[in-house]
Amino acid sequence: APPDWFPKESKKPFEEIVVGFANLGPSLNGYAAAYFKAFNEYAAELGVKPIMTDAALDPARQADQVRDLIAQQVDVMIVWPVNGKAIVPAARQVAQAGIPLIISNSMIDESGMEAMTSYTGPDDYAEAQEAGKIMAAALNGKGNIVLLNGTPGYRMAQLRYDGFMEVISKYPDIKVLDSQPADMSQAKGQTLMENFITRFGKQIDGVYSVDSGVGFGALTAARAAIQEGTLEAGKIKFVDATMYGFVWDLIKTGEYYGSVYQSPEEDARLALRSALKLAAGEKLKQFEYLETPGVTKANVDTISRPNF
Amino acid sequence: MSLATDRLQPSATSFDGLKTFIRSNSVWLLALALAVFFSLQSAFFLTPFNISNVLTQCVFVGLLAIGMTPVVISGNIDLSVGAVVGLTACIVVALQPYGLGVAVLAALAAGVLVGLVNGLIVEKMGISSFIVTLAMMSGIRGLTFLAIGDISLSSTDDRLNAFAMLAIGPISIVVVLFAGLAAVVGFVLRFTPHGRNTFAIGGNRSAAVDAGIAVSRHVIANFALCGLMAAICGIAMAANLGAAAPSFGRDYELLAITAVVLGGTRLQGGKGGVTGTLGAVLALAILRNGLNLLRVSPFYIPVIVGVVLIIALVLDRQVNGQAMRHGE
Amino acid sequence: MLDRKVDEDRSREGFAAAGEPLMRIRGIAKAFPGVRALAGVNLDVFAGEVHALCGENGAGKSTLMKILAGGIRPDAGEILHSGAAYEPKNPRDARNGGVVLIHQEMSLAPDLSVAENIFLGSLPCKWNGMIDRRKLNDDAERALKACGYDIDPAARVGDLPIARQQMVEIARAAAFPCSVVIFDEPTATLTEAEAESLFRTIERLRKNNVAIIYISHKMKEIFRLSDRISVLRDGETQATLRTADADEAQVMSLMIGRTLDRRQASTWKFAGNEVLTVSGLSSPGAFEDVGFSISEGEILGLYGLVGAGRSELAEAIFGLRPASGTLLWRGRPVTVRHPRDAVALGIGLVPEDRKKQGLVLGAGGRENVILANLARLSAWGLLRRTRAAALYSEFTERLRLRSPSPTTAVVTLSGGNQQKVVLAKWLATDPRLLILDEPTRGIDVGAKDEVYKIIRELAANGMAVLLISSEMPEVLGLSDRIVTMHHGRLTGEFKGGEVGEEDLIRAVMSTDHNRPAKPPAAA
Amino acid sequence: MPAMIMTSGARHAPVIAAALTLLAAWLFIPQLLDLQNVNQVLRQMAVPAIMALGVTFVVIAGRLDLSVGSVLSCSAIATITLLNEVGPVAAIAVALAIGVLVGCLNGFLVAYLRLNSLIATLGTLSIVQGMALIYTGGANVVMSDLEASTWFTSISRGYVLGIPSPVVLTLVLAVLCGVLLHASTFGRKVFAVGGNSIASAYSSIDVRRTLFATYVIADGFAAIAGVVYASRVMTARHDSGVGLELLVLSAVILGGTSLIGGSGSVLRSILGIVVIGAMQSALLLLGFPFYMQWIAVAVVLIAAAWMNVISRTGREVA
Ligand SMILES: Nc1ncnc2c1ncn2[C@@H]1O[C@H](COP(=O)(O)OP(=O)(O)OP(=O)(O)O)[C@@H](O)[C@H]1O
Ligand SMILES: Nc1ncnc2c1ncn2[C@@H]1O[C@H](COP(=O)(O)OP(=O)(O)OP(=O)(O)O)[C@@H](O)[C@H]1O
Ligand SMILES: O[C@@H]1[C@@H](O)[C@H](O)OC[C@H]1O
Ligand SMILES: [Mg+2]
Ligand SMILES: [Mg+2]
């Protein structure tokens, strides 16, 4: 039976709706993996069978896969773009085929916005602003920070940088020592941080990472340096823009300063639910944002621990 | 053919004929088998839209693989093509403000230039092409990122994307262009001195040198051609996606080489051709498309593709394999 | 009967080196790192003469010819061709200058057609840049016909048997207008009948006033063909003789700098026990129902024409090729599935193609010698280095190997010295049965004699030797017993010393000579 | 004589290049040779170094192994997931078994089925990584107790006699490999097979078994590297090792091991890794954008290969 939020007057019976999902691939990071797991579980729970494709982070392949889904005449399509700009022509083809389109998690470029029916997911810019505020508060508006950014070319990385810098640039006493791409990879975060420590040593007061995966890599590097006496314990404030479970633990203990809550389960469920509604013919808001509150030791207990 | 009678036997049995056919077209048979299988499994497979889809999906890897074929036949390899795709895609988009013509020409020139540099280093410095192009792959990628940054570029000139979206009936213009280029390269390999010399160089380089063939020139020309095809791929990708990023074409070199080898071109050189490469590109595209239509979980696709790759290699060894030396 | 023919051909007896030479070579020198290959060679070659070039392995013959053909540039010296300075920068230059080299090592592209190979480097084109296939095939057909070869110009070269490939190589000489043709050991892989047709080709070229330089280690050919003989030793010209005035002994002593002791070693044999008995041995497509036995101290010659299947038989005995049938080793049945099994029994094989099968060319001599002896040189899996070094010096000294050092890459050694490295490798395994497949192919008379001496000595010490050879004198001169093979079957058995050349030839030829015996090995 | 000196000089090109790179870098960036930074670089490079040890065998035998990166991922995933359940010893045993198993598969494909090693190992790369993807669903596997410090965590984070423990481990393994490759009869076989596999077979060497063994070694070492990785990073994913195969191959080439096979050494491969590590560190310390490393790797790779060519021609051809 259809869930109660499903429109009573649907264009198509609930059971017959085919959802196509062209995703960028779980290879992106732990968040994406948790998202897909949740998505599949939710689909099973609802009794719908989505057609999933994995672009393995290749924009050209993703465009091909979107066309594969058009060929299968899906009723509604979700796309998590590898590249917000490169998805535009394929998105237009989706629109031409009369298929409603949801862009999930990572925005499509402005130029393709008319092809998109609705966006669901985080507001990356706002999230980064939130992280910026946390960092500014952690440093009392004064100090040196290093930035560990996301995958080069991935739109989210840019937004997470711009939003953060918008806030930080209001504090003339906060200086950015350097910024390097950590590829959304923990190992890379660790390696880069080790080099930052050698280069800047005790100058570093704060580390902003694109998400907890990268941030935890940086923390691991700092721990080793603390053990060796190169750094003082507790001096560096670690902040990132998407909280993973293990960082939730560390915020509780105080070793990690703060992060931003963003739930892959909510993200996935929102996308699927919105897709089904669209297929039924319901009108949606153009932007359906997730709640992304900032998290520090002060409020960590009010937020449930992410399980990824 | 025997020790004493070298004339081709006209009275070859029909079984021999079949065998020869299978031998030179094994990968086409694989493509055919896959197509039959998937059309039985999915009603969508043989729809015009999907057929045109599969053909379109051949184009990018196909362009690279066609360009790579002469390079491999001459006994070399080019690992830098994926990076060239990223570079030229960025060039053709970034230079649009100077006019589309300028942008396209600059991208083509950049591809040829990289090819020439590859060829020159290989020939004049005597370094193995695997190493040279491995280095170039890393270097070009680095340069592109350094020049463009961690961003993607939107195509501002709509003509580029509009061209890519043109179609003749259900067949995309890009496919037609690709088919034309493949025919030209195939023709050059088979019917021109450059093509035959390419085979000679890969088959026995010192023989080619001794015969007075200007070996270096042919090798460099093949690298340049390969770079040109990679540039065309980069332009086509930027056109098709209406955007460009330095990361475009990542791992495509491996996909292209896989297609070349599956197509029956010998990695040591001297043997092969465009027809086989085309068949392999098609077979791989059908496989991916079909698995998709069958709703196979994306998690399983790398495993299936890997297994099919190995099975195809094993089968090729069975039909085409060198007489194996016992004990070796 | 061959000899009579030679006499008839002596119409050119009066060849006189008069007038201007077509090619004048003066003071040509060439050094490779560590080796002085040529140390000032002088040579005059006249139009219309066959000029034989003799010399030990490594004397510098091939190097000199490669210089003439544009493959290598000399360090010093000058060459005049028709009175003008001749400095080819590459083989194309040389060919344009009318100089064609038929290589010692096969120089063909296996995946191209016969015609394409003949005209490699100068394929005929149509106005539109396409190859003119018809002209190509017609011209090739003509060149092949001119040499008397019946080969399909459209056949893929890699599909041809090795001897036919050599013919394709030779046909190149007839395909181009040329003034100088160089043959570097062209008959090494040809049967005598095939060699005959080569000689006719050479005769035709000579009549067309072409200068021919002919390199060979086969004295008989040299005296049969040439007008003059030049001898090279250690990269220098020793002498140029008129063939009519010279004899073999003279040429040989010029080559090696001493007179050869050609006395036969003692022919006394003790009647040993049977070492290996082969019966009903078959390998589809190669040989069928082969049976023979060989005893301690015996040299068993296995004679046949190229393609008879002798190498395949050797490979089967050595575990390199699957075969059915029985092998008895000292009376006990054994199975040999891998060369390891063969070596464990005490069998060694010196293969016919030393570069492909015999040597790791990039490695040093010592490295090569230890390869078949690793099991014995191992202590707890580690290589016993001093033992290895000792083994190497013992056997290479015995064979008088000339190599700058134990680690010098064998690729830089001359053919004869390379062959000695292979021999050393197998002698070091202390085999009870040594199979020698064409052990003297491409090696000079001096080295040949040494090898013969070694073979006799080994047999005298009780080793059984299976000698596979296409050279009749070799088989006749060395073997205690001879079996002949034709089309994969044994066709006769003869006692050494009681058999003549005609008997052997009869045994390896038959009327169905042209019947296909087996599919060629894929290249 | 001068030619001889130049020749032997060129033969040691990688060593000289390493020394020069370090010297130059140190002149500009004094911190580079700070004990702490040296320790750090060495610690970081231990994982690729251990992989390079194994890959050297395959390359000397004239083949390639592109699957080592995915073996590392699998091994690290196995180590971390099993650590909590069955303890470190059993976890490591399973991880190593995975490496050996993949090595057997590769060895079977390349040695016994005689498939082209580049494409065949590309196939196994895809299969192994895909299996890891299926197993983890793409998620990070994370060590349950991130703050624990046990002997397992000290594999990569501890010290032995003041030297970082992964460096000690790498050195021990390098000595082992050095002995195996340069002093054992097996090593001679590996070189012979790479130099001329047909002649090796005629010399009674079991070519197939030798080749097979090189893959077991390469993938076994990749699995060891995976354990070290797990201990160092404490989390892993199906694609943790992506890209390492080419980094490691670059290091091996940089060390002067010829891709044609038949030549090379363990020491040189380690040097190749050190050069790359030092270079990366130097560029980062100088504040260059990350991509500069890619360009630098390209330049160094071609330069090293060229020196190698010069040294080879110096020995053989004019
Ligand atoms: N490319 C090379 N590098 C180093 N040394 C070489 C090279 N080519 C030839 N040599 C050396 O030069 C000398 C002359 O060799 P060359 O091949 O000319 O002898 P050859 O007279 O043709 O002998 P053979 O009768 O065995 O063919 C030998 O010592 C050989 O080892
Ligand atoms: N088509 C071919 N291409 C390459 N090599 C070939 C071809 N045919 C034969 N050969 C090689 O030529 C050599 C001689 O042929 P084969 O082994 O058939 O006869 P054989 O009785 O051993 O003769 P011989 O010992 O006199 O050469 C062998 O090494 C064989 O592998
Ligand atoms: O929004 C997501 C981010 O928060 C996560 O960490 O990585 C993937 C992103 O798309
Ligand atoms: Mg010679
Ligand atoms: Mg033979």
Side-chain angles (χ1 to χ4, degrees), chain C residues 303-322:
Chain C
Y303 181 73
L305 302 180
V306 174
R310 296 161 300 159
S311 297
E312 284 81 354
L313 177 62
E315 286 172 2
I317 295 172
F318 199 60
L320 280 160
R321 163 185 288 276

Side-chain angles (χ1 to χ4, degrees), chain C residues 53-65:
Chain C
L53 200 54
C54 295
E56 285 185 287
N57 293 123
K61 305 180 294 294
S62 297
T63 305
L64 180 61
M65 295 307 114

Side-chain angles (χ1 to χ4, degrees), chain A residues 28-29 31 80 105 122 154 156 160 184 211 242 244 262:
Chain A
L28 182 68
N29 63 3
Y31 182 93
W80 180 342
N105 182 284
Y154 186 48
M156 183 264 316
R160 294 266 170 99
M184 322 281 321
D211 72 4
T242 297
Y244 287 17
Q262 180 193 320

Side-chain angles (χ1 to χ4, degrees), chain C residues 61-73 101 103 184:
Chain C
K61 305 180 294 294
S62 297
T63 305
L64 180 61
M65 295 307 114
K66 281 180 194 156
I67 288 171
L68 294 185
I72 305 181
R73 318 274 300 263
L101 168 61
H103 285 85
D184 196 350

Side-chain angles (χ1 to χ4, degrees), chain A:
Chain A
D4 48 7
W5 47 259
F6 189 74
K8 295 279 162 303
E9 263 109 73
S10 172
K11 286 202 287 198
K12 215 169 183 183
F14 181 78
E15 299 74 29
E16 287 172 23
I17 293 175
V18 180
V19 180
F21 186 1
N23 63 62
L24 82 178
S27 309
L28 182 68
N29 63 3
Y31 182 93
Y35 177 115
F36 297 123
K37 188 158 168 267
F39 189 93
N40 284 322
E41 281 167 4
Y42 190 43
E45 183 186 320
L46 293 175
V48 291
K49 284 211 186 69
I51 309 174
M52 310 267 280
T53 65
D54 173 359
L57 303 183
D58 175 0
R61 187 184 291 179
Q62 185 167 48
D64 288 343
Q65 291 173 336
V66 166
R67 291 185 198 108
D68 283 348
L69 293 173
I70 299 175
Q72 293 173 77
Q73 298 158 15
V74 295
D75 300 301
V76 59
M77 199 178 313
I78 308 172
V79 174
W80 180 342
V82 177
N83 181 313
K85 288 182 170 144
I87 200 66
V88 171
R92 293 201 177 120
Q93 286 182 314
V94 176
Q96 271 163 25
I99 300 173
L101 173 65
I102 287 187
I103 298 292
S104 177
N105 182 284
S106 181
M107 265 310 285
I108 191 170
D109 190 64
E110 303 279 328
S111 61
M113 208 81 99
E114 85 284 345
M116 165 188 100
T117 322
S118 183
Y119 168 83
T120 66
D123 183 344
D124 287 311
Y125 195 84
E127 226 175 277
Q129 285 177 311
E130 188 63 37
K133 284 178 207 153
I134 295 173
M135 181 64 91
L139 299 179
N140 275 324
K142 189 170 177 316
N144 298 317
I145 57 174
V146 289
L147 271 52
L148 294 168
N149 214 340
T151 308
Y154 186 48
R155 174 139 179 80
M156 183 264 316
Q158 194 63 37
L159 292 171
R160 294 266 170 99
Y161 179 83
D162 293 346
F164 182 82
M165 286 310 294
E166 193 218 84
V167 176
I168 290 301
S169 58
K170 289 186 196 130
Y171 298 87
D173 289 338
I174 299 185
K175 216 182 111 207
V176 176
L177 294 173
D178 198 3
S179 165
Q180 297 274 353
D183 280 1
M184 322 281 321
S185 142
Q186 181 182 335
K188 194 86 161 279
Q190 184 171 342
T191 301
L192 287 171
M193 186 65 189
E194 284 167 351
N195 286 293
F196 281 150
I197 292 170
T198 311
R199 227 166 107 200
F200 305 115
K202 295 193 167 105
Q203 289 177 52
I204 304 170
D205 302 305
V207 177
Y208 168 61
S209 310
V210 64
D211 72 4
S212 293
V214 174
F216 182 71
L219 181 76
T220 312
R223 276 180 179 168
I226 290 165
Q227 247 180 3
E228 282 162 26
T230 323
L231 294 179
E232 295 160 41
K235 186 193 165 210
I236 298 184
K237 308 288 186 253
F238 288 88
V239 176
D240 70 63
T242 297
M243 181 172 61
Y244 287 17
F246 46 82
V247 159
W248 186 88
D249 301 334
L250 298 173
I251 291 177
K252 238 170 126 69
T253 66
E255 194 179 356
Y256 206 95
Y257 190 83
S259 182
V260 180
Y261 175 82
Q262 180 193 320
S263 161
E265 287 82 14
E266 285 165 28
D267 201 356
R269 294 167 81 95
L270 180 61
L272 183 52
R273 203 171 332 122
S274 306
L276 290 166
K277 286 181 185 170
L278 271 186
E282 188 174 315
K283 289 264 169 302
L284 295 183
K285 276 194 293 181
Q286 198 184 9
F287 295 96
E288 302 255 14
Y289 287 128
L290 294 172
E291 293 225 18
T292 50
V295 184
T296 59
K297 195 169 183 176
N299 67 344
V300 67
D301 284 322
T302 66
I303 308 251
S304 61
R305 185 189 186 278
N307 59 356
F308 67 100

Side-chain angles (χ1 to χ4, degrees), chain B residues 87-113:
Chain B
L87 171 73
T88 52
C90 286
I91 289 179
V92 79
V93 172
L95 294 188
Q96 279 172 359
Y98 303 96
L100 194 55
V102 173
V104 169
L105 283 180
L108 294 176
V112 172
L113 185 71

